[in-house]
């Protein structure tokens, strides 16, 4: 168990953490949330003992191991990906080295009956047993498995870490931490450099992780799928909820509403009492009574409400000028970097008013095609053209980093501003929460989130009829992402978004283009439709590979999914159709039962004292097993329903 007691941090006049108390118990996975600058990263640094609080204590158990993934990690150079990742097993590597030394010594000795020889045999046995306990025999396979889950290919294992971008190097650091399996993992925005597939893999890994986790993330769905507790930092204080993020949002709103009502009721009571006291004090016969009432009023415990920072940027994109019917067109386009082929003979077209999402693993060409469309990259062959009267508003993945750090916020907008918009520059900055003296700050003084807001503000200076946004939500907090999503929902032009943020993309686009192995695959729906279809496709591939070994009916009497998926519609006989229908009904019944059980468990998990009760960890495992079974049964049901047509 880890505990923080009366943690206090103040910078100038601003109190960042105000006598914060926090306890973390085994098995807890906490989402640490709050506005940018609220103190989340500072709290992680204090827990990791990378900085000391001005007041307060951090207490950790003896022999406690901790892993800390943050945004400013430096990767050692000169090693291959697999060699660098294997440093996570430093203790195992030391034991293996010692085992080789003992084995070599035994190989040259001939004093088989001596005590020294027998001691070496015992030592060799002890080391071998210790290695087996630590998983030494499978360490390299485990490393390759984790690296694969985070998006590395088999061909990447022997490449030098120097060849990879900062985002991929961050994945190597994350892999090392996962392999070390510390008692507590501190993760500061772990999904920032991950694609959707890697995020899904990491979610599963963390959900099944038996240790403690504290994660800072602006990815709502990631928090919902990983955490079982949410700690919110608001104006120096922590509000603790024993639930995942979405449920916390509801409970937090309820808490604030109840607190506001209680505060207003108490204020009315105080006003009435003060009025009565004033009236009684004017009468000599009631002076003592008034004094007694005043003493009671002075002793009353006053209700305080959070002065919550609910400010959000105000964002509305200018109306889009009318363009031609075809907004963008890509024909037989190929893009190579040296011997590496990123895109191969791809075709793509966007019509006026369409809303498209680019998704897929990092390095598959999403940003490359976006840059080709706006003219920042050239195709190796083929062509990409914009339609008639198309004006592009392009937000690059590193847009915030391209801002000139030496000039002020006001100068940043004025330098690219059309003459007719100059009178509105200050109001635009104000809408993005830069007001008063803020506009005279140098860009260098801004945080990552503030720079992202400033870069977005610059896009409101001109009307565009094609918005091309590459990872626009990086560095934005939850509220700012909501505002941006709402503004894009209301935008009346053509929209193309490159993003790995599932919650942000949900419902925002009507076409999803997946980039994979140099080719494009289209899904006529939003990101949720894409994920559902991909999951089913993946299941089909697994089933096809194992079909030969699974031709018999399932043990419980249901139809094996391999049979359902392998046969064509025309080959289903009336009897087989009845069997499948019975299987569907049985699965539907089981789904309803599981959802009911999961609902009861979620209520139990939300109880304030749940984690202090005996057997909490075992209950958490039961809850996880139920969710796993539900996913499996749901997949079987979906496949069977699709088979029936």
């Amino acid at each position: 168990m880890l505990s923080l007691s009366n943690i206090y941090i103040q910078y100038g006049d601003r109190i960042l953490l105000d006598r914060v108390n926090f306890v973390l118990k085994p098995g807890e996975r906490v989402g640490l949330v709050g506005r940018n600058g609220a103190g989340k990263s500072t709290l992680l640094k204090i827990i990791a003992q990378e900085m000391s609080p001005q007041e307060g204590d951090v207490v950790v158990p003896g022999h406690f191991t901790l892993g800390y993934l943050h945004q400013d990690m430096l990767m050692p150079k000169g090693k291959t990906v697999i060699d660098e990742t294997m440093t996570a097993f430093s203790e195992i590597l030391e034991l293996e080295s010692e085992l080789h030394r003992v084995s070599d010594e035994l190989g040259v000795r001939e004093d088989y009956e001596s005590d020294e020889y027998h001691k070496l045999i015992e030592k060799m046995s002890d080391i071998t047993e210790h290695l087996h306990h630590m998983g030494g025999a499978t360490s390299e396979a485990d490393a390759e498995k984790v690296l694969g889950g985070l998006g590395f290919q088999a061909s990447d294992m022997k490449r030098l870490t120097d060849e990879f971008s900062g985002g991929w190097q961050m994945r190597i650091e994350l892999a090392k931490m996962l392999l070390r399996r510390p008692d507590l993992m501190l993760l500061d925005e772990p999904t920032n450099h991950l694609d959707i597939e890697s995020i899904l893999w990491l979610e599963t890994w963390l959900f099944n992780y038996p240790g403690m986790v504290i994660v800072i993330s602006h990815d709502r769905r990631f928090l919902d799928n990983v955490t079982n507790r949410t700690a919110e930092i608001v104006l120096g204080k922590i509000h603790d909820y024993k639930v995942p993020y979405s449920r916390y949002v509801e409970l937090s709103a309820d808490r604030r509403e109840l607190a506001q009502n209680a505060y207003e009721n108490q204020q009315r009571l105080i006003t009435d009492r003060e009025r009565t006291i004033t009236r009684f004090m004017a009468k000599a016969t009631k002076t003592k009574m008034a004094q007694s009432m005043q003493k009671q009023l002075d002793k009353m415990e006053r209700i305080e409400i959070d002065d919550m920072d609910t400010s959000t940027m105000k964002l509305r994109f200018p109306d889009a000028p009318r363009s031609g019917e075809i907004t963008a067109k890509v024909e037989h386009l190929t893009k190579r970097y040296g011997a590496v082929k990123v895109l191969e003979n791809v075709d793509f077209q966007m019509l006026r008013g369409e809303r498209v999402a680019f998704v897929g693993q990092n390095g598959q060409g999403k940003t490359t095609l976006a840059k080709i469309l706006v003219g920042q990259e050239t195709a190796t062959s083929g062509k990409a053209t914009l339609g008639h009267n198309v004006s592009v508003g392009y937000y690059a993945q590193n847009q915030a980093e391209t801002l000139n750090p030496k000039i002020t916020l006001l100068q940043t907008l004025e330098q690219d501003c059309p003459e007719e918009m100059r009178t509105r520059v200050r109001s635009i900055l104000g809408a993005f929460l830069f007001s008063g003296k803020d506009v005279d700050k140098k860009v260098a003084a801004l945080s990552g989130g503030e720079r992202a807001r400033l870069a977005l503000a610059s896009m409101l200076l001109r009307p565009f009829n094609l918005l091309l946004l590459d990872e626009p939500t990086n560095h934005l907090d939850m509220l700012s992402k909501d505002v941006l999503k709402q503004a894009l929902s209301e935008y009346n032009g053509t929209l193309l978004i490159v993003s790995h943020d599932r919650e942000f993309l949900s419902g925002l686009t009507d076409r999803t283009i997946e980039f994979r192995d140099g080719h494009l695959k289209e899904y006529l729906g939003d990101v949720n439709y894409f994920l559902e279809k991909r999951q089913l496709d993946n299941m089909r591939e697994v089933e096809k590979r194992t079909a030969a070994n699974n031709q018999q009916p399932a043990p419980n009497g249901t139809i094996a999914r391999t049979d359902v998926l392998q046969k064509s519609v025309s080959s289903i006989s009336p009897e087989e159709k009845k069997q499948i229908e019975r299987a569907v009904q049985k699965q539907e019944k089981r789904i309803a039962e599981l959802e009911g059980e999961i609902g009861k468990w979620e209520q139990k998990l939300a109880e304030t004292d749940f984690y202090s009760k005996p057997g909490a960890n075992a209950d958490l495992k039961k809850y996880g097993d139920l969710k796993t079974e539900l996913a499996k049964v749901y997949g079987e049901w979906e496949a069977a329903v699709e088979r029936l047509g």
Side-chain angles (χ1 to χ4, degrees):
M1 187 171 74
L2 176 143
S3 66
L4 280 66
S5 177
N6 293 316
I7 301 298
Y8 186 84
I9 293 282
Q10 182 173 353
Y11 296 118
D13 295 333
R14 185 186 176 206
I15 298 175
L16 192 64
L17 298 172
D18 188 10
R19 308 286 189 278
V20 164
N21 295 294
F22 183 74
V23 175
L24 187 65
K25 299 175 182 176
E28 290 188 318
R29 301 185 300 275
V30 181
L32 191 59
V33 301
R35 299 299 300 269
N36 286 344
K40 304 186 296 294
S41 294
T42 299
L43 190 63
L44 288 196
K45 289 177 183 176
I46 289 171
I47 294 172
Q49 299 184 352
E50 288 196 0
M51 69 176 291
S52 300
Q54 291 159 348
E55 295 179 28
D57 299 297
V58 179
V59 179
V60 297
H63 307 293
F64 189 79
T65 55
L66 181 146
Y68 180 26
L69 182 80
H70 51 87
Q71 300 301 304
D72 304 315
M73 303 188 79
L74 295 175
M75 169 68 67
K77 296 185 178 182
K79 290 185 177 181
T80 64
V81 170
I82 189 64
D83 287 344
E84 178 60 37
T85 306
M86 287 296 290
T87 62
F89 301 109
S90 56
E91 186 179 353
I92 288 178
L93 294 174
E94 288 173 8
L95 286 170
E96 287 178 342
S97 177
E98 180 67 5
L99 183 63
H100 286 308
R101 188 193 66 77
V102 172
S103 179
D104 289 344
E105 187 173 346
L106 284 171
V108 298
R109 295 186 67 140
E110 297 180 355
D111 52 336
Y112 307 121
E113 303 299 328
S114 68
D115 290 342
E116 288 78 7
Y117 191 90
H118 284 288
K119 285 179 181 178
L120 284 173
I121 292 288
E122 290 175 5
K123 187 172 185 178
M124 187 175 182
S125 176
D126 290 342
I127 294 173
T128 303
E129 186 178 346
H130 196 181
L131 277 171
H132 178 73
H133 177 72
M134 296 179 69
T138 63
S139 57
E140 186 163 349
D142 291 342
E144 290 179 353
K145 182 179 179 181
V146 170
L147 287 168
L150 293 175
F152 288 91
Q153 304 297 318
S155 57
D156 294 328
M157 300 301 165
K158 297 300 182 182
R159 291 173 60 190
L160 293 177
T161 59
D162 315 42
E163 300 175 34
F164 291 87
S165 67
W168 284 95
Q169 292 187 8
M170 187 67 70
R171 295 187 192 211
I172 297 172
E173 286 298 315
L174 177 57
K176 287 159 61 177
M177 183 184 302
L178 299 181
L179 290 164
R180 287 187 186 114
R181 303 179 71 85
D183 296 313
L184 169 62
M185 282 195 287
L186 305 175
L187 305 174
D188 193 348
E189 295 290 358
T191 64
N192 263 7
H193 300 288
L194 300 182
D195 50 63
I196 290 177
E197 290 189 14
S198 297
I199 292 172
L200 291 170
W201 181 89
L202 181 60
E203 284 177 356
T204 302
W205 199 98
L206 290 174
F207 183 82
N208 295 310
Y209 182 58
M212 298 179 281
V213 178
I214 301 179
V215 57
I216 297 172
S217 178
H218 291 147
D219 186 330
R220 277 186 179 84
R221 201 170 294 188
F222 180 76
L223 289 174
D224 272 339
N225 292 339
V226 166
T227 64
N228 51 30
R229 178 180 170 191
T230 304
E232 175 193 34
I233 301 181
V234 181
L235 300 172
K237 296 180 172 60
I238 283 187
H239 299 287
D240 206 351
Y241 301 83
K242 309 293 185 183
V243 293
Y245 182 83
S246 292
R247 183 63 180 139
Y248 137 76
V249 172
E250 299 171 7
L251 294 177
S252 176
D254 292 344
R255 179 186 66 80
R256 289 192 176 90
E257 183 179 357
L258 290 171
Q260 183 67 35
N261 292 339
Y263 173 79
E264 291 172 358
N265 289 336
Q266 188 181 67
Q267 289 302 303
R268 283 194 291 271
L269 176 63
I270 290 171
T271 301
D272 290 343
R273 291 277 178 89
E274 287 175 342
R275 191 181 297 118
T276 301
I277 290 168
T278 301
R279 193 169 67 250
F280 281 10
M281 288 292 285
K283 299 180 181 180
T285 57
K286 294 188 176 181
T287 300
K288 286 187 177 180
M289 186 181 295
Q291 290 172 340
S292 176
M293 290 178 67
Q294 184 63 56
K295 287 179 181 178
Q296 291 176 354
L297 192 61
D298 292 341
K299 291 179 181 179
M300 180 184 291
E301 186 174 344
R302 303 296 173 104
I303 296 173
E304 296 182 357
I305 57 173
D306 297 332
D307 182 20
M308 186 184 177
D309 178 10
T310 56
S311 55
T312 58
M313 60 184 184
K314 300 175 180 65
L315 182 54
R316 184 181 183 279
F317 291 97
D319 288 337
R322 187 172 179 82
S323 70
E325 179 65 18
I326 296 177
T327 304
K329 191 171 185 178
V330 172
E331 299 173 273
H332 309 304
L333 187 144
T334 294
K335 177 64 178 177
R336 294 190 187 92
Y337 293 100
V340 179
K341 186 180 288 185
V342 179
L343 297 168
E344 182 178 6
N345 196 32
V346 301
D347 295 292
F348 169 69
Q349 180 174 284
M350 281 189 75
L351 301 180
R352 183 178 62 240
E354 282 194 311
R355 312 171 76 80
V356 177
F358 281 180
V359 300
Q361 291 182 322
N362 290 347
Q364 292 289 333
K366 304 185 298 296
T367 293
T368 299
L369 185 54
K371 287 182 175 180
I372 290 173
L373 285 170
V374 299
Q376 290 191 7
E377 290 268 7
T378 56
T380 305
S381 63
K383 62 179 181 177
T385 54
L386 297 178
H388 174 68
N389 199 36
V390 171
S391 53
V392 183
Y394 178 51
Y395 183 94
Q397 193 171 135
N398 63 339
Q399 189 78 18
E401 298 168 18
T402 64
L403 300 173
N404 186 345
K406 297 180 181 179
I407 62 176
T408 67
L409 280 64
L410 189 61
Q411 291 168 334
T412 299
L413 259 61
E414 285 180 339
Q415 68 180 0
D416 294 322
C417 183
E419 191 61 38
E420 66 272 15
M421 291 291 291
R422 285 190 175 275
T423 57
R424 294 190 54 200
V425 167
R426 286 182 179 270
S427 62
I428 290 174
L429 285 169
F432 281 77
L433 310 181
F434 301 118
S435 57
K437 295 180 180 179
D438 288 341
V439 302
D440 296 318
K441 282 183 181 177
K442 293 286 179 67
V443 172
L446 301 182
S447 67
E450 289 170 332
R451 289 191 186 205
R453 295 206 310 267
L454 181 60
L456 283 168
S458 66
M459 299 191 69
L460 272 66
L461 299 173
R462 291 182 174 85
F464 303 105
N465 49 32
L466 171 58
L467 284 181
L468 204 167
L469 311 179
D470 192 352
E471 300 291 2
T473 60
N474 281 357
H475 307 296
L476 291 183
D477 59 30
M478 302 282 198
L479 290 175
S480 296
K481 285 203 295 188
D482 288 344
V483 172
L484 176 58
K485 183 173 180 177
Q486 182 62 34
L488 291 173
S489 298
E490 297 170 357
Y491 172 63
N492 63 352
T494 308
L495 180 64
L496 175 57
I497 301 179
V498 182
S499 179
H500 63 256
D501 191 321
R502 293 158 295 170
E503 191 65 31
F504 181 75
L505 288 176
S506 179
L508 189 57
T509 60
D510 43 42
R511 283 173 65 201
T512 303
I513 307 297
E514 181 191 19
F515 287 61
R516 179 179 287 271
D517 299 328
H519 300 285
L520 310 186
K521 183 175 181 180
E522 182 172 3
Y523 297 82
L524 296 177
D526 72 352
V527 69
N528 296 319
Y529 177 79
F530 156 71
L531 289 171
E532 289 169 6
K533 296 298 289 183
R534 274 302 310 277
Q535 183 181 28
L536 187 58
D537 289 345
N538 289 344
M539 282 192 250
R540 282 175 170 164
E541 287 303 314
V542 172
E543 295 294 348
K544 287 175 183 177
R545 286 196 296 269
T546 57
N549 299 321
N550 292 279
Q551 294 301 313
Q552 300 302 316
N556 60 3
T558 64
I559 299 300
R561 291 184 61 231
T562 47
D563 293 336
V564 173
L565 292 171
Q566 289 289 85
K567 295 183 179 181
S568 64
V569 175
S570 60
S571 67
I572 295 180
S573 67
E575 181 58 34
E576 286 175 311
K577 187 174 181 181
K578 286 181 181 179
Q579 284 183 302
I580 297 172
E581 287 173 346
R582 284 196 294 270
V584 168
Q585 291 172 358
K586 186 172 183 179
Q587 288 155 350
E588 286 175 343
K589 183 179 178 182
R590 184 57 181 153
I591 286 170
E593 291 172 353
L594 286 167
E595 287 178 341
E597 289 183 57
I598 287 171
K600 291 176 184 176
W601 276 101
E602 287 176 342
Q603 286 183 344
K604 187 174 181 180
L605 265 61
E607 293 173 4
T608 306
D609 60 344
F610 172 80
Y611 294 93
S612 61
K613 293 179 180 178
N617 288 340
D619 287 346
L620 276 172
K621 186 178 184 307
K622 291 177 186 176
Y623 172 70
D625 291 343
L626 283 172
K627 291 191 75 173
T628 300
E629 185 182 352
L630 177 62
K632 178 183 176 184
V633 176
Y634 193 89
E636 292 172 353
W637 169 84
E638 186 176 21
V641 168
E642 183 166 301
R643 187 73 194 100
L644 288 171

